């Protein structure tokens, strides 16, 4: 997630009140699907910038999309368990006039090409001053993605790199896992109920534990 600079967001009345949503193509006939069961989550939702892919501020160029370390393996491990995976992303560059919907879609298609199609994308195009219900840390992106997937928020995990990601999860009633990067503030790490050193560790945590239990140090 890009940390936006200070200043007032550009008001654009052409933007929708809610998020942009995209679904994956239909599963081809005959392709096996394994049902997630027991204590496994019904869905895992990832932040995009700084979590799945290297954070390039306000990126509209598909050629600049680079996966984060272990990201593709982490997503594949969840899919192997039959857990749907999606993306929830703030893209205030749209409201600021720095990105178009076409550019956001082009980057989305590139991410899908690198990782395989995500089951759902929920993208907030608004700026911080628009007062929408979808921009993280508000719960709207998480709730919209869960609705599209038919997943209960209470059995959904949100993985991100800054406090707004895990706060959005908490506001939606979901479980949040923070994967800190150099842009993550110390107070955000301290406030997170669960942290992991990278996406591979985050997925291990998701697959081997239920709801979080805070513990000191490392992965919590």
């Amino acid at each position: 997630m890009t940390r936006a600079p200070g200043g007032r967001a550009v008001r654009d009345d052409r933007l929708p009140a809610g998020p942009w949503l995209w679904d994956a193509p239909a599963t081809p006939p005959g392709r096996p699907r394994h049902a997630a069961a027991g204590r496994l989550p019904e869905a895992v939702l990832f932040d995009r910038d700084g979590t799945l892919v290297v954070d390039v501020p306000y990126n509209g160029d598909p050629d600049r999309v680079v996966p984060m370390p272990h990201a593709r393996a982490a997503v594949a491990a969840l899919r192997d368990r039959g857990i749907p995976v999606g993306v929830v992303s703030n893209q205030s560059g749209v409201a600021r006039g720095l990105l178009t919907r076409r550019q956001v879609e082009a980057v989305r298609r590139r991410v899908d090409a690198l990782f395989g199609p995500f089951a759902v994308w929920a993208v907030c195009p608004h700026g911080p001053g628009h007062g929408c219900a979808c921009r993280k840390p508000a719960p709207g992106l998480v709730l919209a993605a869960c609705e599209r997937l038919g997943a209960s928020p209470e059995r959904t995990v949100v993985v991100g790199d800054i406090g707004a990601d895990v706060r959005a999860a908490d506001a939606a009633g979901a479980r949040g896992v923070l994967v800190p990067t150099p842009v993550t503030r110390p107070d955000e790490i301290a406030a997170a109920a669960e942290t992991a050193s990278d996406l591979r560790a985050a997925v291990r945590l998701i697959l081997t534990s239920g709801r979080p239990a805070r513990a000191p140090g490392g992965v919590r």
Side-chain angles (χ1 to χ4, degrees):
M1 175 180 295
T2 301
R3 285 199 186 282
R8 189 174 182 81
V10 177
R11 172 69 68 177
D12 186 347
D13 293 334
R14 293 172 297 177
L15 291 176
W20 291 339
L21 293 167
W22 292 278
D23 298 319
T27 303
R31 182 178 176 180
R33 286 185 58 87
H34 305 284
R39 64 182 180 181
L40 295 179
E42 294 180 0
V44 176
L45 306 174
F46 291 92
D47 172 54
R48 192 190 81 178
D49 302 321
T51 302
L52 285 175
V53 300
V54 174
D55 186 5
V56 178
Y58 307 119
N59 182 33
D61 182 356
D63 291 337
R64 301 183 72 188
V65 174
V66 178
M68 290 288 283
H70 313 302
R72 284 189 281 192
V75 170
L78 294 168
R79 287 176 172 151
D80 286 346
R81 296 293 190 98
I83 302 171
V85 288
V87 180
V88 286
S89 179
N90 290 350
Q91 293 298 321
S92 68
V94 178
R96 298 173 189 276
L98 301 174
L99 289 173
T100 65
R101 179 175 177 127
R102 181 174 297 179
Q103 289 173 310
V104 173
E105 289 179 338
V107 170
R108 174 185 65 84
R109 288 192 296 268
R110 179 58 177 160
V111 174
D112 278 350
L114 290 169
F115 287 83
F118 284 88
V120 66
W121 282 74
V123 173
C124 173
H126 309 109
H130 283 201
C132 68
C134 52
R135 178 178 169 81
K136 295 177 289 185
L141 291 182
V142 177
L143 295 175
C146 287
E147 183 177 4
R148 282 294 181 103
L149 293 173
S152 167
E154 292 77 18
R155 294 199 59 193
T156 296
V157 182
V158 180
V159 181
D161 66 313
I162 68 172
D165 299 316
V166 293
R167 285 158 53 205
D170 186 62
R175 175 183 174 189
V177 177
L178 184 72
V179 181
T181 68
V183 305
T184 314
R185 297 194 307 260
D187 63 291
E188 294 174 326
I189 298 172
E194 293 184 280
T195 65
S197 58
D198 57 34
L199 285 181
R200 187 167 50 188
V203 167
R204 283 199 301 267
L205 184 65
I206 291 166
L207 294 177
T208 59
S209 65
R211 298 294 295 190
R214 279 197 76 128
V219 177
R220 298 181 294 176

